[in-house]
Amino acid sequence: MPSATIIKNGRIIDPKNKRDEIGDLYIVDGKIAAKPSKEILDTADTIDATGLVVSPGLVDLHVHFRVPGQKHKETIRSGTSAAAAGGFTSVVCMPNTSPAVDNAGTVQLIKDIVDKEGVVNVFPTGTITVGRAGEALAPTGSLSRMGIVAISDGGKCVQNAGLMRRALQYAHMFDIPVIDHCQDYSLSADGVMNEGFVSTKLGLRGLHKAAEDIIVARDVSLSTHTGAHIHLQHISSKSAVDIIRRAKSRGINITAEVTPHHLALTDSEVESFNTNFKMNPPLREEEDRIALLEALEDGTIDCIATGHAPHTDYEKDVEFDYAPFGVIGLETALSVSLAQLYHSERLSLLGTLSLLTSRPAEILKLDKGTLSEGADADVTLFDPEETWTPQNKKFFSKSSNSPWIGRELKGKVKKTLVAGKLVFDGQKILAD
Amino acid sequence: MSWNRKDLISIEELSASEINTLFETADAFKKVLGRKTAKTPALRGKNVVNLFFENSTRTRVAFEMAAKRLSADVTSLDMKTSSTAKGETLRDTVENIRALAADIIIIRHSAPGSAGYIAKILDIPVLNAGDGAHEHPTQALLDCFTLREKWGDLRGRKIAILGDILYSRVARSNIWALNKLGAEVTLVGPSTLVPREFERLGVKVSHDLKSALADKDAVMLLRIQHERQNASAFPSLNEYTSMFGLNADRFSWLKKDAIIMHPGPINRGVEIDSDLADSSQSVILEQVTNGLAVRMAALYLCSGGSAEAAIA
């Protein structure tokens, strides 16, 4: 007898199929299924989803799980637990580990650890260059054979345009997308926050928007000439949005993501010198924030990704200048995205969820992010109205470097299923 | 009279009334300094610790002497040669110093926000002696105290701040202080060191020295920081001096009787002609002397001293 689960009476939203209706969702043997026979239904587990949204499990193209090498910040277990608690069932992890994922053995190591302790699906990436040093190409072919879904220098940007062109040409041969953290180092220099009025007032060194714009423009040009797919990470500046919009209108093969914190916050937060507002790219200004929201509305930016970057409290509890860049985001992304897009009435619930499910999955051709029949039964149930307040040290992530500590959020994940199996029940992680 | 702060971190957070309370307290301490036994017992038995993570002569010595005039015990630490070099965090350093029964900490540090950061950690007074390019509150207080001695009131006075504004904590603290006291501020210097963003702080920004100096009652010079030359903010010191250096000719563009100020250390021949620095209109040494009284007032008020009692 096949094992079955019925998720009853929820508001089923499947952006890929433009489905938004109250109903029952059936899972048989870990896959989304049509209504099964009465015989199967009689023995099925039932989950009551009354008043809840039933969404495809969320997909995040950008997390840092710190394994191997920095388990004090995050492990695969803690990172994937944070994902499940935030409603994410598939995550793409960046290769800036220690050692970096520039060889097949490290990919295998990560996959073995994921098999052992992963709570959700983890898709590894490899580096563009050896040791992320921006000097010599990493073995994209071998990495690709090991099952990486993209290459990226994870937090670093290849500065040499000639080398980047070669990387794109080479990766294109394997149909492997190249993910870029767009930043020209001669402009970003030793900046620690957005360069603008607030940095001028506080006396903090600025990280100029042009550092992002220039590499976005470079990547557009290189994609134009190589045909390779470049995915631009965490776009933060209004002028970069303009460059992407024009490139897309010409059909250039680029995609882009934005983080929830860039959608919701601005550099005025740094006035507190709270290092949980230090990230790279930095929080920008209100006009940038609005441009990012508009870019999601018109499709210029394709999806939302967290950039989940755990750091311990003792690493972040230092002078602003010395704190590492980055914040965690998996557990708050859905709430923050709902606030900025759905509750603010910029997008429908379906439109908002598409940015967290079907569209990121399409970018890296992951067979995820939908409730189509036959799809893996990765499902997230959430209450879009329930409020909650993130607390320091109460995250499933091993780190607590969140800008949302103490701020009330709206929208709470109630259950997360991976391949039909309940892994988060709204309170705790159930995977073994 | 109002002062309810344990810390002095920034001028931005002070009200004009708090600034005036501090000035009136400093007036009283300046009288003490003129006495034969220039010392009061106000902080007797208190341990004042000077934590200097950056070079300083004037500010460190002024704080030391101010604390000693208040009868405190003073320890000065040069943090460049201490445990910080071994990788200790700032939190651990200051918690250790607190555990040694420090009563007041004075900190200078290259990172903006660092003084405020330790003030939140510690339950004892923290005085900011300069945090990166952010603020240097006692410098602005002594500058404005000096102008107040000259003019009685700063309201309606026009002051130019000339030089490397972008990297200057002195400029930022003075912008806040002068604005709060009713003066009008114009920033002047090369566009790379005086970005337009400053206008949102309620000041004028100019890159034309002549028009910027035309109607000013005082010019406040800032040191051109040689060590930041790498950043190529301007082509050379010579070019800077030729465009923005203050000399006798350019000084004549100011109002008659205008005052020249400089927080030191001076680069003679770079931002100011040597003769001009020593002229009768320069108050550079008065600034230094007033720094003592102002810092006594700051130490006294932050450690709970009553302004009324000091003035009485």
Side-chain angles (χ1 to χ4, degrees):
Chain A
M1 183 75 112
S3 75
T5 305
I6 313 170
I7 300 173
K8 282 190 85 75
N9 202 30
R11 179 176 169 191
I12 299 169
I13 300 183
D14 183 18
K16 186 175 181 187
N17 296 308
K18 300 271 182 288
R19 179 180 179 193
D20 183 350
E21 63 189 358
I22 305 285
D24 299 342
L25 187 74
Y26 304 100
I27 298 169
V28 177
D29 285 341
K31 304 280 185 190
I32 304 293
K35 187 173 182 177
S37 65
K38 184 172 182 306
E39 189 186 19
I40 295 174
L41 282 180
D42 284 347
T43 61
D45 294 332
T46 301
I47 296 172
D48 180 15
T50 307
L52 301 181
V53 172
V54 179
S55 163
L58 310 183
V59 178
D60 189 353
L61 297 187
H62 188 170
V63 305
H64 300 272
F65 277 174
R66 311 301 190 198
V67 172
Q70 294 183 304
K71 286 203 275 190
H72 59 292
K73 295 176 195 265
E74 194 81 286
T75 63
I76 296 291
R77 178 69 181 190
S78 64
T80 53
S81 296
F88 287 90
T89 55
S90 292
V91 297
V92 174
C93 60
M94 289 299 117
N96 56 327
T97 49
S98 181
V101 191
D102 60 4
N103 62 87
T106 305
V107 181
Q108 187 60 53
L109 175 67
I110 292 169
K111 289 186 145 193
D112 289 347
I113 298 170
V114 168
D115 282 346
K116 215 169 88 187
E117 58 186 68
V119 178
V120 304
N121 304 296
V122 176
F123 296 92
T125 56
T127 62
I128 301 171
T129 65
V130 175
R132 302 164 57 235
E135 288 165 0
L137 295 185
T140 313
S142 316
L143 293 166
S144 165
R145 259 202 311 260
M146 288 302 296
I148 57 147
V149 295
I151 56 172
S152 165
D153 266 356
K156 280 197 178 174
C157 177
V158 175
Q159 297 295 291
N160 183 321
L163 182 65
M164 187 66 171
R165 178 193 161 206
R166 292 293 178 217
L168 289 163
Q169 282 182 311
Y170 193 72
H172 196 31
M173 170 169 68
F174 304 104
D175 199 21
I176 287 284
V178 177
I179 298 179
D180 202 8
H181 176 143
C182 301
Q183 200 148 71
D184 179 290
Y185 292 169
S186 69
L187 276 163
S188 59
D190 54 0
V192 297
M193 71 169 294
N194 176 57
E195 182 165 336
F197 169 68
V198 180
S199 69
T200 304
K201 177 181 156 184
L202 299 180
L204 286 168
R205 293 185 304 276
L207 212 158
H208 202 277
K209 290 169 200 169
E212 177 172 306
D213 304 345
I214 281 173
I215 296 294
V216 167
R218 177 199 76 173
D219 285 356
V220 166
S221 173
L222 291 176
S223 175
T224 305
H225 295 299
T226 59
H229 173 200
I230 309 180
H231 177 68
L232 309 168
Q233 291 183 304
H234 42 45
I235 292 302
S236 66
S237 108
K238 179 178 193 281
S239 34
V241 167
D242 291 338
I243 295 166
I244 296 166
R245 185 173 287 125
R246 271 179 282 137
K248 285 197 159 185
S249 74
R250 290 187 286 126
I252 308 303
N253 192 12
I254 53 167
T255 52
E257 71 187 32
V258 62
T259 72
H261 48 267
H262 286 109
L263 291 177
L265 303 170
T266 65
D267 62 354
S268 64
E269 299 285 353
V270 180
E271 296 214 18
S272 64
F273 291 102
N274 181 338
T275 59
N276 286 338
F277 297 97
K278 181 175 177 180
M279 53 284 267
N280 186 355
L283 297 174
R284 301 292 187 187
E285 294 162 71
E286 184 64 8
E287 63 165 6
D288 299 292
R289 192 181 78 83
I290 298 301
L292 294 169
L293 289 165
E294 289 169 354
L296 284 177
E297 284 179 81
D298 74 4
T300 299
I301 293 180
D302 298 83
C303 71
I304 294 169
T306 64
H308 182 84
H311 295 291
T312 65
D313 53 356
Y314 62 86
E315 291 165 317
K316 276 287 197 180
D317 185 10
V318 294
E319 301 89 317
F320 196 87
D321 272 355
Y322 304 154
F325 289 105
V327 295
I328 57 171
L330 282 167
E331 293 167 69
T332 51
L334 176 62
S335 314
V336 176
S337 303
L338 287 172
Q340 294 305 320
L341 296 164
Y342 168 62
H343 292 302
S344 67
E345 298 182 351
R346 280 185 179 270
L347 288 177
S348 66
L349 195 46
L350 185 140
T352 303
L353 287 174
S354 74
L355 301 168
L356 290 155
T357 58
S358 52
R359 292 178 70 183
E362 283 155 18
I363 288 169
L364 293 190
K365 302 192 181 80
L366 308 176
D367 200 9
K368 295 287 179 188
T370 175
L371 298 176
S372 303
E373 267 183 52
D376 293 336
D378 297 346
V379 186
T380 295
L381 279 61
F382 67 91
D383 180 343
E385 306 298 331
E386 184 177 327
T387 57
W388 64 292
T389 304
Q391 306 286 338
N392 192 28
K393 302 280 180 196
K394 301 280 188 189
F395 291 94
F396 287 87
S397 170
K398 201 163 178 179
S399 294
S400 285
N401 53 316
S402 167
W404 300 105
I405 291 170
R407 298 188 182 202
E408 189 178 88
L409 302 178
K410 198 170 176 185
K412 185 95 180 72
V413 174
K414 307 304 282 185
K415 286 186 171 54
T416 305
L417 290 83
V418 174
K421 190 164 174 285
L422 191 65
V423 295
F424 176 67
D425 69 358
Q427 305 291 329
K428 56 187 185 301
I429 299 298
L430 303 170
D432 38 43
Chain B
M1 291 290 133
S2 62
W3 191 279
N4 297 308
R5 299 176 179 277
K6 85 169 174 71
D7 310 303
L8 177 58
I9 303 303
S10 71
I11 303 292
E12 181 185 3
E13 65 191 0
L14 298 184
S15 65
S17 152
E18 287 173 304
I19 293 171
N20 282 315
T21 298
L22 191 137
F23 284 168
E24 286 165 41
T25 311
D27 285 334
F29 285 124
K30 193 162 179 182
K31 284 190 199 119
V32 171
L33 291 172
R35 292 201 308 241
K36 208 168 174 186
T37 310
K39 202 163 181 176
T40 85
L43 295 188
R44 180 174 292 155
K46 300 268 191 192
N47 284 317
V48 174
V49 178
N50 259 324
L51 271 183
F52 276 63
F53 293 85
E54 272 191 336
N55 287 327
S56 162
T57 306
R58 191 179 335 260
T59 304
R60 200 195 70 226
V61 170
F63 265 115
E64 274 178 28
M65 293 179 74
K68 285 175 179 168
R69 297 290 183 192
L70 294 166
S71 305
D73 298 313
V74 187
T75 307
S76 286
L77 296 171
D78 176 0
M79 299 307 294
K80 286 192 305 303
T81 56
S82 77
S83 51
T84 309
K86 298 174 191 161
E88 188 177 50
T89 64
L90 182 56
R91 171 185 283 276
D92 285 339
T93 300
V94 299
E95 285 183 341
N96 275 276
I97 287 168
R98 173 74 185 100
L100 290 167
D103 296 302
I104 301 172
I105 286 185
I106 298 157
I107 179 171
R108 166 166 291 189
H109 195 296
S110 64
S114 49
Y117 168 71
I118 71 164
K120 281 182 204 150
I121 294 172
L122 300 175
D123 58 351
I124 56 171
V126 173
L127 277 72
N128 181 6
D131 60 333
H134 179 222
E135 284 234 32
H136 189 354
T138 56
Q139 180 68 46
L141 290 168
L142 73 89
D143 289 341
C144 291
F145 183 83
T146 304
L147 291 174
R148 171 178 167 273
E149 278 192 334
K150 295 287 166 193
W151 299 332
D153 192 343
L154 273 65
R155 273 176 290 183
R157 294 288 185 164
K158 294 182 175 174
I159 293 135
I161 308 180
L162 165 58
D164 176 354
I165 313 289
L166 184 59
Y167 297 106
S168 174
R169 52 192 169 218
V170 175
R172 285 179 180 77
S173 285
N174 265 307
I175 290 168
W176 291 114
L178 290 165
N179 270 347
K180 285 170 197 271
L181 295 170
E184 194 180 285
V185 180
T186 301
L187 308 178
V188 57
S191 50
T192 45
L193 294 176
V194 192
R196 290 274 160 200
E197 277 80 5
F198 277 108
E199 286 173 345
R200 280 175 59 190
L201 291 175
V203 298
K204 290 179 186 157
V205 166
S206 169
H207 310 303
D208 175 59
L209 192 55
K210 190 164 192 174
S211 64
L213 296 183
D215 55 350
K216 298 301 181 286
D217 298 295
V219 59
M220 207 175 260
L221 296 164
L222 297 172
R223 192 171 73 89
I224 288 299
Q225 308 193 37
H226 298 278
E227 64 272 21
R228 298 199 192 271
Q229 279 266 314
N230 295 342
S232 322
F234 52 88
S236 69
L237 282 179
N238 277 342
E239 167 124 336
Y240 180 85
T241 306
S242 78
M243 301 296 295
F244 294 102
L246 193 65
N247 54 34
D249 183 36
R250 289 167 178 176
F251 183 68
S252 72
W253 298 341
L254 288 136
K255 274 191 189 165
K256 196 168 156 292
D257 302 326
I259 296 170
I260 299 173
M261 310 184 84
H262 195 304
I266 302 173
N267 299 310
R268 286 179 186 267
V270 178
E271 66 262 3
I272 183 168
D273 262 12
S274 188
D275 288 351
L276 214 47
D278 301 328
S279 71
S280 62
Q281 279 167 293
S282 155
V283 296
I284 295 173
L285 291 174
E286 287 173 61
Q287 288 172 266
V288 177
T289 306
N290 284 335
L292 205 51
V294 162
R295 291 186 173 105
M296 286 171 77
L299 285 164
Y300 173 79
L301 291 174
C302 288
S303 48
S306 137
E308 285 87 349
I311 293 160

